[in-house]
Amino acid sequence: MMEQAGRQIELLEMSAPANFPYNYSCGKIGSFFFKKLRDEKKIYGRKCPRCKKVYIPPRPVCGPCFAPTDEWVEVGPGGVLECFTVVFFGFLDPMTGKKRPVPYGYGLIRLDHADSRIQHFLSENDPKKLRVGMRMEAVFNQEREGKLSDIKWFQPVE
Amino acid sequence: MKQNDAILISSQVLQVSYNYSAGPVVSKFLVSLRDQKKILGIKCDKCGIVYVPPRATCGKCFSEMKQWVELSGRGRIETFTSVHYPEPVQPRGGPFILAVIKLDGSDTGLTHLVGEAEEKDLTIGTKLEAVFQENRTGHILDIKYFRPCRD
Amino acid sequence: MAGRAAIIATGQTFHKSRRRDVNIVELIHEAVSACLQDAEMSPADLDAVLIGNMEHFEGVYNADLWAAAETGAYLKHAMKITTGGTTGASVAHAGYYHVASGMFNCVLCIGWEKQSDGDTTAGLIFQSDPLFERSNMAGAIGTFALAASEYMNKFGITEEQAARVAVKNRGNALNNPHAHLRRAVTVQDVLSSPMLASPIKLMDMCPTSDGACAIIVASEEVAKKKSPNRPAWFKALSTRHDQPFNSDLPLLINMRTLRDAAKDAYAQAGIVNPIKELDVAEFYEPCTFAELSWYEALGLCELGGGGKLMDSGATQMTGELPVNPSGGVISTNCIGATAMIRVAEAAIQLMGKGGARQVPGAKTALATGFGGSFWTEITILERD
Ligand SMILES: [Zn+2]
Ligand SMILES: [Zn+2]
């Protein structure tokens, strides 16, 4: 309620839930990558012919060189944890319309043979058990559908 | 993921909930629909234009508007269409009639639904009157629809 | 050749977490009215209106149209510009380009956000890559937590050093009547505030605010003849983008885009030693760690020296280069307006209208904008 010219005005709010349906094409490069995850539990990066960098996530063009990438290179499944966080605050996940369960760990992992990093979930959600520089390994789901979540998470290797 | 021969498709439904402040001017309009079944317009003192839906600022002369005008809830069709194709975001199942209605005493058109009428019954200029919902919540759809005048 | 252009007026709303007393267009109107009043102008004096917000935060994709009455854009040249967190700076830059081209004389630029009408973290997840980053990223807080993790590990930056940024900026906010959070905090308050995403705690992070900001950019002729304020001239502008994925960026927090844009802007402005030659700076620091790292990226100290520079006091109000006299983003964050507030606050300093937050005699001011996967807009202003 707000006071205006000596009278109370009731202030209304309009609640408007919205669902946006999208169908994203993974394109040729994304499709190759996700099928390899699904069918072979293998992770592939894409290599630039000019600067020789191997990119993950794979992409059609190397940004710095503006050159089309032209080669698939198998990377991982092991790598090094380069930074991490454990998320404690609750928030709405628009992918589900519900709160995302917390706490969860995620980080940037530099996979063996790759020159860029991948952002993914970590098996650990205690920040004290994680450290930068740790060796990590991809853990695949039993049931795989051809998406990034076919990798369940990365877990520390002894 | 749907699959065809070569290309995967990632199907996602992104879900968020917006919660818009109506502000004092629009709140007064909606409360009046809800509590009194009355449609209010707001008038610019400077250029005399009556706006429905109401707003705080006159676009034409940039004045702040404060003068409320009570309207009869009757008006005439300025343009209309019958919507036959279905979309999940539409206010109700089709087919339905959507019209721009110039309410008596207002200078702007209000877009709303037309009920109790078939497309063939309507023409530009048809006189309409507002029909209100039984249960009103302070929403523009507290006006259930407009129907052709019965007198 | 580009003409000269200046900011001749600014206007801001009063900021809160939830401005439930107004709707979106009424909020925008508050900033526009304040700005026109500051310029002693009416919409008849404007020949263009530019506006921006983060579309997916409120689900409002056409503010140029929606707010035409409240912005004075009615039957005028109007344009919407959206570039993520940098939006407010992009709108200001577009104002400069409109005027410097010689095609417009007096341009109203507006940034706004009504975060309480929507959902910010959901909106930011929306913005990220649908195939690779949407399912695991956690909005700005998560991304800055990753960045801070890397930054601390690489350079031995401490949580205490970061906390001192919050103490400084929240303290400065006490001098700014437009700041959202106006309560001083201590290092201990910051360290013991709830953990959001390790190592980022509640008081390390910017708030979510509802608010709007407007500025008027004018040609040399208008600025000299009609402006009631001392004009704040654009001296240098630079924009840089980088790779699309968070995971691509080589050192998240010491932004490659900021380093490069700073180099470019300093060259344009003839600045060799920024900490000496700049008089005041307004950073878009979404979290405490970012301000430390951006001291480095902006060449105020060496790489990894951000913590030490903070400890030295050089960026305090009484220091060599006061950073964020307004209280910064840690104190007020209405995202589509945030980067414009940086530019507006820099202009206010040059106009000498800073009141309790005024840096005496400020002649050259820098403003940064931050957005999305770590891109940058830099603005350097000067006064005659
Ligand atoms: Zn390359
Ligand atoms: Zn008027």
Side-chain angles (χ1 to χ4, degrees), chain B residues 44-49 51 58-63 65:
Chain B
C44 176
D45 278 335
K46 202 159 157 197
C47 48
I49 298 174
Y51 292 91
C58 173
K60 199 172 173 195
C61 73
F62 208 63
S63 307
M65 297 187 284

Side-chain angles (χ1 to χ4, degrees), chain A residues 47-55 61-69:
Chain A
K47 188 171 180 176
C48 171
R50 210 170 293 173
C51 68
K52 312 291 180 202
K53 272 195 178 136
V54 176
Y55 284 105
V61 174
C62 169
C65 302
F66 199 63
T69 57

